[in-house]
Amino acid sequence: MDVNLQSKPWSSLSAEQKIERNYEEYLKYNDRPNRYLKDNDRPRNVNVGLPKNKSKARSERTTSNDVKSSSTRYDDYDYDRIGKRTRDTVKDHLHELSLSHRLLMQDILVNANLWHPDPKILTADYAFEGILGIPPPFDERTSRKAGASVSFVVCSDGTIQPITRAASKIEIKKAFGRGSEYGDGLPVVFSWPVLPSTVQRTDFECVLNTGRVVIPDGVSIYPNADYNERNTVVLVSPDFGNRKLPDEEGAVWVTQVRIVQDCNPLMLVGPKGLISGVGLTWENELHPYLSGPKLIASKITILNTQGDNGPPGFFSINNNDGRSIYGNAAQYRLRVLTNWGISGDGAHFIRPDQFEDFFWIQAELPDGQTVKLTRSGYDYTLNNHTLTILGLAELGLSNDEDRWDECYIDDRDNQIDIILKGGEEAPALQRE
């Protein structure tokens, strides 16, 4: 390091010079020092998205030792490794992350669900392979060449629209802060929402079946952009695996995902405030292409649409909640959480009128009997009370049924709402 950097004013240094300068100096002079607090520093407040006249949530600072579901010891990391993680994280925040990514990763949470009493990773299953971050020109030919499905469908207004799950390199840069070419996607689903500003690529280590450890090119809470979601972090890298099955020669896939220490540890937001996610680990017992998509959890609540929106523009589809689609008839929300985004064929999107195609509900009566609910728009009489499944929500924008056609596009995330109406004594519902 150039010793002359120590004597120069901090404001006069370039981004690269700031990275080279002593890390403690960075902590001292950075204009957002709370982003890089150490474990023993003072607690901080987190804006959880309440209206301005409401008080901010009180947060509790915890250390990595408070998280016990770990197979990783942090003192196994030597100084050089921690030092490299520090420089990488600071470099990301100084000049590499896109402005749109910074907008997305603001610390705003409203009415977000806690899916388990304890902080944990619920799933971390390897998903898309090689179709995220396609360089220009991004078109049908380059998407198919990368291995993506591309279909052209006729919309209800007569127009033709391409449908694909592939994403351009520009889109990945906007959502993940950093570019990645022909990247693979890996959603990490936590039981609690994350504090977005603490999520960096250096928080994650992905261990392959070959033993290689991969740090992702980028990370994002997209497409979980709504303020009442944000418990899923998607990792992108071209090195997560290939499309070969486990018994095929040369097959590569992620077998373990672990949260590791860096200078700005990943934090989860729980009932008592912040808790470090460092040390949480997920082991894949089966190849995700064999285990497939699955429901992880479900939760029924009185419908509350607070937080069912997100940053404007690229990141979220607002006004897609149960009240926006079904009006005042919507009374309850059964939210289901999955390991991946949901699609009937891996390409097309699910519409609000497709409950019967993809879901059914098991209702448990007080006497222990169970009833299978399979139809939407039908009034079920359960224990002398009426319950009606109105349909799905938290998908695409339009509440116009004429637009629920082959061209319908949803918000691509892994949470879907089943909207219900009925009396307050409607029986307990359980996902089956």
Side-chain angles (χ1 to χ4, degrees):
M1 184 183 71
D2 185 355
V3 294
N4 292 328
L5 292 181
Q6 294 287 354
S7 60
K8 294 180 179 179
W10 181 256
S11 58
S12 69
L13 299 180
S14 68
E16 292 294 336
Q17 288 173 326
K18 289 179 179 178
I19 295 168
E20 290 299 322
R21 190 156 161 175
N22 181 275
Y23 178 55
E24 291 300 326
E25 195 78 353
Y26 180 82
L27 282 176
K28 182 178 179 181
Y29 288 102
N30 180 28
D31 60 353
R32 299 178 71 183
N34 284 344
R35 294 288 298 278
Y36 302 97
L37 286 175
K38 291 186 175 180
D39 281 343
N40 294 327
D41 283 336
R42 65 186 184 281
R44 55 179 165 148
N45 287 330
V46 51
N47 181 352
V48 294
L50 294 172
K52 292 183 178 179
N53 61 341
K54 301 290 185 181
S55 61
K56 293 183 178 180
R58 178 179 174 271
S59 64
E60 295 182 2
R61 191 69 181 177
T62 59
T63 67
S64 56
N65 294 328
D66 293 320
V67 181
K68 298 180 179 179
S69 55
S70 169
S71 61
T72 304
R73 288 179 55 85
Y74 316 112
D75 48 4
D76 291 341
Y77 293 8
D78 57 32
Y79 174 82
D80 290 337
R81 190 174 183 185
I82 289 291
K84 184 178 188 302
R85 288 188 176 279
T86 293
R87 291 192 296 274
D88 286 348
T89 305
V90 172
K91 184 177 180 181
D92 284 350
H93 281 281
L94 281 174
H95 64 89
E96 286 197 356
L97 298 180
S98 62
L99 290 175
S100 55
H101 178 78
R102 296 175 196 173
L103 172 65
L104 172 66
M105 305 298 281
Q106 293 182 94
D107 292 338
I108 305 176
L109 297 170
V110 183
N111 199 32
N113 282 316
L114 302 178
W115 293 99
H116 192 275
D118 302 319
K120 60 190 301 184
I121 297 176
L122 298 175
T123 61
D125 291 336
Y126 172 56
F128 293 129
E129 192 276 330
I131 65 172
L132 303 179
I134 298 176
F138 176 54
D139 54 25
E140 178 189 6
R141 181 187 65 82
T142 57
S143 297
R144 291 188 185 276
K145 186 176 180 181
S149 169
V150 181
S151 60
F152 291 87
V153 296
V154 179
C155 308
S156 57
D157 60 2
T159 60
I160 299 176
Q161 178 175 305
I163 299 292
T164 184
R165 296 286 176 156
S168 70
K169 187 175 180 179
I170 293 175
E171 290 173 321
I172 294 301
K173 174 76 172 179
K174 289 172 65 178
F176 290 81
R178 298 164 53 94
S180 183
E181 290 192 4
Y182 301 108
D184 314 327
L186 197 160
V188 181
V189 185
F190 293 93
S191 57
W192 295 356
V194 298
L195 186 66
S197 67
T198 66
V199 177
Q200 288 96 30
R201 64 191 185 95
T202 49
D203 294 315
F204 297 87
E205 286 186 343
C206 302
V207 183
L208 307 183
N209 62 308
T210 62
R212 180 186 174 191
V213 177
V214 176
I215 296 175
D217 289 350
V219 296
S220 179
I221 57 173
Y222 179 78
N224 270 246
D226 282 1
Y227 300 133
N228 69 355
E229 298 173 343
R230 304 196 162 200
N231 71 306
T232 301
V233 176
V234 178
L235 320 183
V236 61
S237 167
D239 301 321
F240 287 152
N242 54 34
R243 302 190 185 194
K244 294 184 177 182
L245 295 178
D247 58 350
E248 297 179 317
E249 184 178 357
V252 178
W253 72 95
V254 175
T255 60
Q256 183 189 75
V257 175
R258 56 198 185 206
I259 311 303
V260 297
Q261 179 79 36
D262 68 359
C263 65
N264 184 24
L266 185 148
M267 305 297 289
L268 303 175
V269 183
K272 295 184 178 180
L274 300 181
I275 185 169
S276 173
V278 174
L280 297 178
T281 302
W282 173 260
E283 304 275 353
N284 274 317
E285 297 180 358
L286 292 175
H287 190 293
Y289 287 2
L290 297 180
S291 59
K294 50 184 174 286
L295 293 177
I296 304 170
S298 64
K299 178 177 290 190
I300 185 169
T301 60
I302 295 174
L303 181 62
N304 182 347
T305 62
Q306 287 186 326
D308 261 323
N309 60 307
F314 176 81
F315 294 114
S316 59
I317 298 178
N318 295 328
N319 302 318
N320 64 350
D321 59 81
R323 189 63 44 75
S324 296
I325 297 176
Y326 303 104
N328 291 332
Q331 294 177 284
Y332 302 97
R333 176 183 73 189
L334 177 59
R335 174 159 289 188
V336 296
L337 179 69
T338 67
N339 59 333
W340 300 330
I342 301 176
S343 170
D345 58 7
H348 293 81
F349 299 88
I350 292 181
R351 305 188 305 267
D353 59 352
Q354 289 187 301
F355 167 83
E356 296 179 11
D357 296 330
F358 298 103
F359 298 96
W360 56 273
I361 297 173
Q362 180 171 287
E364 182 177 330
L365 303 179
D367 60 4
Q369 296 185 38
T370 59
V371 179
K372 193 173 181 179
L373 313 181
T374 61
R375 298 170 59 184
S376 59
Y378 179 81
D379 293 338
Y380 287 93
T381 301
L382 304 172
N383 197 34
N384 297 320
H385 297 282
T386 300
L387 183 70
T388 306
I389 301 168
L390 299 179
L392 305 179
E394 197 55 34
L395 295 167
L397 175 61
S398 179
N399 58 3
D400 181 359
E401 294 187 26
D402 292 336
R403 301 294 295 171
W404 295 351
D405 55 18
E406 291 296 310
C407 298
Y408 187 86
I409 296 178
D410 68 23
D411 57 9
R412 301 173 184 262
D413 66 33
N414 60 333
Q415 301 190 37
I416 291 183
D417 293 347
I418 300 172
I419 304 302
L420 312 166
K421 74 172 181 178
E424 292 185 3
E425 281 113 23
L429 302 178
Q430 297 181 351
R431 183 260 301 167
E432 185 72 27

